[in-house]
Amino acid sequence: MSILEANKKRKLRPTPTPMLRPTQTPSLVPPRRLWRTQTPTLRPTPKVYDFHTFADADYHNNPKGAFRDNMPLFLQEYAQQQHKNVGCMPAWLMLLRHSSSTEDAIVPFYIIVEDVRSTQRPYCNHCRCSGWGHHFVSKTNYHLIIPEADHESMPLVDDFLDLQTHLFHGLIHCNGFGHLLSIKGTAGGSKYLHDKELMDLWDRICTNLRTRKITVKDLSRKSSMYLRLLYGVGYGHSWHGKWGYKFCRGSFGVAELDYFRAIKDLSSLQLDQIVKDFGDTDKCREIKQIFRHYKDMSETPLMTLKDLLGFMLTIKSYAPLHINKKATAAPSCSTSKPLVIANKEDGKWSAKRLGEAAEVIATVLKEKNAEKLCHGKMTRHDLRAAARVHIGDTGLLDHVLSLDNVDVGTHVVCRTKNPGTHIFEFSLEELGNGIKASEPARQPGVDVYCDLVYLYNNILVDYPGLKWVNEATWVVLNSKCFVKEWPLLDENDQFLTFTCRLMPLGETETTMEKGLPHGEVVVVVPPHATVGELKQAVENAAKNTYCIAKNFKVTNIEELEGFNDETLLSEAVASGIDLCVTGIGLALENRFRCQAGIESWEVRCTCGATDYDGEKMIQCNDCRVWKHTDCCGMKDTEVIPRVYICRACEVTDALNTIFFEEVIENM
């Protein structure tokens, strides 16, 4: 048999069936897969960053483009996308490590990406209240949230954006305009996050991502005091003004000029005149005592209400500190509280160092008492020189000596001004000396916070006799919306940056200002870009920013008329200017036309308001015009009537009735 025939027989031979044991069954899995093990895909752990330095000016990979381009890059670089969405919206997570003197904590920081084309609420009521209701609807909204619970116990439920328990919630549209919706620090339930820390974080992120404008509705208060009034008179700006937020819009027709005039009038109230105006009231004595106490405490003259409130707020920003040794501490019968020593915000000296300095000062005063010289009192110069023998940090000594009534064990270091020499003198008194049971529990100067509440309620809110003071207070209280605008150009920026206002073909700046919607885009191009490249960049920016600009085509740029597309921009215009861009393809009939929505609201109130300002309103059933319920004489607690006829329509109806009655009589 040849080799060829043998190979043919071998190929035709059937494959033998393997012998199986009685208990053995054929495997349903192919043998080649038996060695493979299917391991679950593990998602990487979210990155952890330092809370107090995250997104600061020195952060690496600092973006230079517009916000719509910077935010996606920011998410890819620093955040981790979660496997569970909020509804249909992707959720990204970063972890921030918060270190404090008491404990370290991990803070979850979520960013929820909302596509307005797939959401049930595409319009922004916050834009409408801020005067931005005519803006085009942005394609994407970014919600920045720090929840109340940690990331492991906080479920991403579908109504996550609507929860009122968040410690922090900010909203930024992809066009760079946004709103700070809520901040709840330690006063709002946070265990370790302060309002100032949250504001610092928000400001760093907005600056780093190059936002355009951010608004905040300031409703913050402590006890009965609205901070926008207290800080407005004391500092000349709201609490958010420390981060650059300025007046944006007032309620009930309050304009910017009205706001600044009211702040100026209240701030310039003379303290002597206030005492005269309260002369016939039972509050005069206590107001005079409060004024006298803080005038004596201040090293600079306090003449106006702004001087006084500003000084008291500065003192209030310090944290009270008891300096008592447990071994020698005795129950205090004093109704006073120790004044401030440590500044929590600065944290320059620890509580231990402050306590040591206060004890050294008390020891020096005890020795002076033992010598029975000058009744145990020492001038600031002598006391400072004696204490420097034991403490070399003069800044620490100056800080402690600038305070009043500091408790040290069972004694109090008292600071008073000599009426003859006008020099501060220090003495050591025992706690409880001179305190009688019949004396009131609260005395002027003992508690700064109580003094602020007293002055707020009796001077700012209920000033006797002068109507203009109460009117100025009303103006400030109805100025709730504040805004911060970031500069368009960076001093170190090497690119060309422009703000381009999009207008449909055939429209002009004048017609756009009459209420037609409009959109703005920030365009960043290389330094050697041409006019044609700028037009292409504007088209791409418009398509990526607004829903109605999907087919937008640039036909003309007003500031570049006469230049061809090959002209270098650096030879035609300067970086940072505003450009009016005309084009075709804006779908102005689309439902995403403007942030105010498709409904047409006509506001014409007796207070002068011509647009919705966030206050409660009612619509007249005859003229269909909206007015404030407060201006119509309705209280907030009243039930809104189902049928309402405004005063103007009532007069018109009455005149028409009289006219028709006369016509009928003459027929």
Side-chain angles (χ1 to χ4, degrees), residues 379-444:
T379 63
R380 182 183 181 280
H381 179 270
D382 295 339
L383 181 58
R384 184 175 183 269
R388 280 200 63 186
V389 177
H390 307 281
I391 297 179
D393 191 345
T394 56
L396 174 60
L397 284 175
D398 291 339
H399 177 69
V400 177
L401 291 175
S402 66
L403 306 175
D404 189 18
N405 295 348
V406 179
D407 291 3
V408 184
T410 59
H411 292 77
V412 181
V413 177
C414 299
R415 186 182 75 154
T416 57
K417 182 180 289 187
N418 190 309
T421 61
H422 299 285
I423 296 176
F424 282 109
E425 296 179 342
F426 294 81
S427 62
L428 191 67
E429 305 290 342
E430 290 187 5
L431 280 174
N433 283 353
I435 303 297
K436 299 180 181 180
S438 60
E439 289 186 355
R442 192 192 74 81
Q443 297 179 356

Side-chain angles (χ1 to χ4, degrees), residues 229 232-234 260-278 287 291 295 301-310 455-474 476:
L229 175 59
V233 178
F260 286 112
R261 184 185 293 115
I263 290 291
K264 180 180 178 181
D265 292 343
L266 293 174
S267 301
S268 60
L269 275 172
Q270 298 291 319
L271 299 184
D272 294 339
Q273 184 62 42
I274 294 175
V275 173
K276 292 180 181 179
D277 294 337
F278 278 84
I287 289 177
F291 287 179
K295 281 184 176 180
L302 304 179
M303 305 298 296
T304 64
L305 186 60
K306 178 180 180 179
D307 299 336
L308 176 64
L309 294 182
L455 296 180
Y456 180 95
N457 292 331
N458 293 285
I459 295 180
L460 294 177
V461 177
D462 189 21
Y463 200 95
L466 295 180
K467 184 179 179 181
W468 66 266
V469 176
N470 296 324
E471 291 177 348
T473 297
W474 181 88
V476 177

Side-chain angles (χ1 to χ4, degrees), residues 281-337:
T281 66
D282 56 351
K283 303 169 186 175
C284 180
R285 179 175 176 273
E286 192 161 2
I287 289 177
K288 289 174 64 176
Q289 290 178 343
I290 293 176
F291 287 179
R292 186 183 305 112
H293 175 82
Y294 292 102
K295 281 184 176 180
D296 293 341
M297 183 186 299
S298 175
E299 297 181 356
T300 58
L302 304 179
M303 305 298 296
T304 64
L305 186 60
K306 178 180 180 179
D307 299 336
L308 176 64
L309 294 182
F311 179 69
M312 295 175 69
L313 287 171
T314 302
I315 295 177
K316 184 66 179 65
S317 65
Y318 289 83
L321 174 68
H322 281 279
I323 308 175
N324 292 335
K325 288 186 175 180
K326 293 183 179 180
T328 60
S332 172
C333 59
S334 172
T335 58
S336 65
K337 296 182 180 179

